Structure formats: C-alpha cells, structure tokens
Amino acid sequence: MDGIGAENGSVQVKAGARAGRRVLAGTAVVPGAGYGPALRPGERPRRPARGTDLPAVDRPAEKQRFLAAAEAVAARLLARADSVRGAGADVLRATAGLATDRGWLGAAGTLIDAGAPADSATADATDRFAAVFTELGGVMAERVTDLEDIRDRVIAELHGMPEPGVPTPSVPSVLVARDLAPADTAVLDPTLVVAIATTLGGPTGHTSIIARQLGIPCVVGVSGLGDIASGAPVLVDGSAGSVEVDPDPGRARSAVAHSADVRRRTASWVGPGRTRDGHPVAVLANVQDGPGARAAADGSAAEGVGLFRTELAFLDRDTEPPVEEQAQIYREVFDAFPDGKVVVRTLDAGSDKPMRFAPTGEEANPALGVRGYRIAAGHPGLLERQLDAIAAASRTSSSEVLVMAPMIATLAEAAEFAAAARARDLVPGVMVEVPAAALLADRILEHVDFLSIGTNDLTQYTMAADRMSAPLAGLTDPWQPAVLALVARTAADGARVGKSVGVCGEAAADPLLACVLVGLGVTSLSMAASAVAATGSALASVDLAQCRRAADAALAAADPSAARQKATEILR
Ligand code: PEP
Ligand code: MG
C-alpha cells in the first residue's frame, strides 16, 4: 500500500548505518512524517528562591506589581487569541483565564501579604494549585502545564525578561521539547514547525489537540529527547510514534514526500469504502449526539453511524429522560443520515462512564462490575424504555436503524436483548467486547443479526490490562496477536452465516490496522469522523488479497511491533 508505508514508518534503516543515528519511541498522535533541524523552546525562568522577609511597608506595592504582571500576561495571551482561529484561540483564552483566576491570584496575594516577594509567591501559589490539579487527575491534571506556563510568564514579566516560549525558526524545523505550553502550540506555523516531539503529554493533552488541528505530525511521551542538541537533524514519524536522530537524509526526505502524498490522497477521498479491487467495506462514524452526527455527515465521507454512544448524550442528567425526549435525541442522529444506516448502542453506563440515573453502587473493580448491558437487571424498565424511544424515532425516520447491546458475555444476555429488540421491530446485534462473546460468536449469531467488535474493551479484557493505564499501554494494544485472533474467529463465524461483523473501537481509526481487520474478515469499520478519510483512503490503496496476507502475517507475529512491521511491508 503506497501511502501507509511512509505514514507508518517507512523509516527503515539498517541499524548503525550512521554514526549518531538513534531511534526513540513514543506515543503516536498525529500521523505523517516531518524532518528538519531540532528546534528547542527558549529557556524558562529559574525557580526563584523562597522568601518571606519582604518588609511590611513594601508588601502592598509588591502585590500591585504581581497583579499588574499577571494582568499583562493575560492581556498578551488574549491579544494572541484574537490572531488565531479554532481550538488554538480557545486554548489561549483558557490559559489567559488561569492568569486571572481569583483563587490563584488570591493565594499568591496572601503569600505576599505574609512577606513573600512576588516571584516566590507566584511559584508557591502555582505549586499548591498544581498539587490539587494533579490530585484531581484526568483533564484537570493536564492543566498543570498551562498553570506552570502562566507561572513562568508572570515571573519573566516581573523580572523584565523576554516571554519564554518557542522562537520562530528561520527554516522548517522539528520542535523538540520536554513539554509545550498550550500558549506556544496554539500559535505554531505548520510551514515552519514541520513536526513535534515531546517528553511529556498524552494523546488527549493540549499539545496533541493543537497538533492534530494544525495537522503537524506529532509524537508525545518520548524519553531521551533531552540529549538531542538544538539543530541536530530529526525525523519524526507520527504514525509509528518514532523520533529518529540523524537519519539518512535521502530516506528521510522520501518519507516526508510519501507522507505528503498520503495526505493529498486522504484529503481527496470521498468514499464509498472499498478496497482498490472493489471489495466493499462500510466506513462509518462514531457519534454521541445530533450535532456530532451532523458534523460527521457534513464533514466526512462516512456512509452512516456504526456506533452511537447513547450514554454520552445523558452523562449530565440526574434523572432518566422521558421516552419522547430520548426519541427526539435519537431522531436527530437518524436524520443526519437519512439514506445511511445508524447503529444505536443502548446505554453503556458504569465503570468509566457512571450515570447518575443508573447508579451501580460502590465496586472494587468497576471495569469488571455492573456496566453496559449488566445495568439492565438492576434498573427494571430502563432498557425497555430506551428501546421504545429508539423504535419510536426509527418509525419517523428514513435511515436504516439497528440496535446493539454493550458488554454482552453470555448467550442468555444476547437472546434476551434480541427478543426485546425484535418485539419492537428493531434489528438486534451485540457488541463483542468480552472474550467470552468472541469465543461464542457462532452461537450468539443464532440470536442476533450482526456483531460489532469493540476493540477498546476487547483488548482490555483479553489482555487483563486497564485501558486507561499508561504503564500498560504495550498490553492494551489492539495489534496484540491474541486480540487479532479473537477478531479473526468472530469475523469467520459471521462470514459462515452471512452476517456482518464490524469493528467500532479505536483500532478502526488506525489505517494500517484497518486494512488488517478487513483481511481478517471484518465487514465494516466505524471510527471518529476525523479518522474516516485516512482509513477510507488507506483501504482504497490496497487489494483484498494484500489485506488477507497482512492479516495472516499479523496473526502469526510474536508481538504488536512485529505485527505492524509485517503489515507495513505487505501493504506498502
Ligand atoms: C470499545 O470498547 O471498543 C467501544 C467501542 O466501546 P467504548 O469505547 O465506548 O467502551
Ligand atoms: Mg466498550
């Protein structure tokens, strides 16, 4: 598959071919290759010494000086927000908001009142807030970088130093940093910053969000970046998640050209989903509400919805929405695809998605507890009312509506769900997320009309590794041969009886893996709308026979990295 090769590391050199060459690994965030001299952000101000001995008479003026510095920093960020668009502007405004946060300003002010100089108070107040944010975890923990960026800017302002951050390079460069402040990434020029590599940060952090929006190839969580000298040639592969220092220049340039080619083809892909030799594979979108479905319909070539995560539409509700209100929400999604199919998943509450109106109680292991279909037993009527609402919405819509239940583990669950759906003239299917369901797929298919493999959970439960765990990321990789073996078995069971078996987990959004899944026999792929074109155009560049060969090789591989490499060789 020309196209996927470079995107996934056509970077293949003989080890030791160049003296300074080394390859560092990280988390792939934005696909594509970027090559250029390393660009390092400017120095951040040193942490000021802690002080408490400011004479009482000077303290009011010192507080004013601190407030003026914070205000100047906020004003500069807001002015910059006005000069960029989209998520970049939002990030800059949110960061500016921290500089005017009453709690943070108050904490620093109190320290100054107690005798701390403004710079020391700024650092200490930030530490306190950073500790609280870290404790809260999740999105709040990711804001620690923003807060520390504000700290550095305010301290620089207090000392009359230039604002810390990313300098504007004179030639296209690769930005290499420990972490990047959102305020810096938001204003990056993609013609001058051709790739990003950071030591910290995760796929959902600010650097990743902005890099994705700007289309800058990006790898985060890379260790060893500290040793890369400013100006050293670096090749970043945003699909393979690799950072290569001092690569062979010819090969690096061809990787970049190849990546540009893939981008062009992706941008011009309009569907429908099929391989180069015409084997049809429905390429669908994952959505959570009406606006998301309309955005997918207008902004992508998705042929329909392969996963409507209904629970996400109700996470903020204290009480169960009445049937008619639910129907209205479902109708909005159906109406976005009047000629396509929409697969509605019934509530997948519990575990990482607790719902106030369907509580599951305290559990030692929520991921192994009452979640998904299992909540139905403890909440009589909840599933039936949801199915009533889906059926009502479907009766007034032209789209092809199907329903599926999450977290099915037994034949009895599948049979019970199928009966409830059929009683309402709905086409039933179930998700294959638990290994038990994959192992019994042939018998489950005696009850339902289709299967949809949730590779996120199937990987978590097959590998016994929490999908949210960063240290276990190597295990929670859908390229694990054990996971692929369960997908193969499920798809084969579907093919034997002529019923469709789709994939709606993140695996479908990996263009290389998507081709392997098709080779394993998967009949549809559903993913975030933003990934539709990359997956669709990758499929269009390969034949079914190639996909099958890649699938066999991936199944036979010893580990995910060998599987990826084999598949790349076959599909390139
Ligand atoms: C999955 O588990 O792969 C899936 C699609 O469901 P969710 O990510 O919503 O758990
Ligand atoms: Mg799941």
Side-chain angles (χ1 to χ4, degrees), residues 533-572:
T535 291
S537 64
L539 269 181
S541 73
V542 295
D543 294 334
L544 181 58
Q546 260 176 298
C547 293
R548 289 188 173 143
R549 278 209 312 284
D552 286 344
L555 279 173
D559 56 37
S561 133
R564 272 192 194 92
Q565 189 171 339
K566 282 277 175 220
T568 302
E569 281 162 18
I570 294 166
L571 293 166
R572 194 179 322 138

Side-chain angles (χ1 to χ4, degrees), residues 345 348 371 433 457 467:
R345 176 172 77 183
D348 182 23
R371 61 164 294 199
E433 302 181 280
D457 277 316
R467 63 194 259 185

Side-chain angles (χ1 to χ4, degrees), residues 422-476:
R422 287 195 209 282
R424 292 164 176 84
D425 283 334
L426 291 167
V427 179
V430 300
M431 291 193 72
V432 174
E433 302 181 280
V434 180
L439 294 168
L440 293 183
D442 55 343
R443 295 168 67 193
I444 288 180
L445 280 165
E446 290 170 10
H447 300 286
V448 300
D449 289 9
F450 69 96
L451 299 176
S452 182
I453 305 175
T455 44
N456 307 335
D457 277 316
L458 184 61
T459 306
Q460 149 164 278
Y461 296 124
T462 302
M463 303 307 296
D466 186 340
R467 63 194 259 185
M468 308 296 281
S469 163
L472 300 181
L475 288 177
T476 52

Side-chain angles (χ1 to χ4, degrees), residues 56-105:
V57 61
D58 295 335
R59 293 175 192 174
E62 187 70 349
K63 199 149 123 187
Q64 280 317 312
R65 205 167 73 79
F66 162 72
L67 291 173
E71 200 180 308
V73 166
R76 221 174 281 135
L77 291 170
L78 287 175
R80 218 181 285 173
D82 290 339
S83 66
V84 293
R85 278 184 297 159
D90 295 344
V91 165
L92 286 164
R93 284 197 191 97
T95 310
L98 287 175
T100 52
D101 178 84
R102 291 238 292 277
W104 181 72
L105 292 175

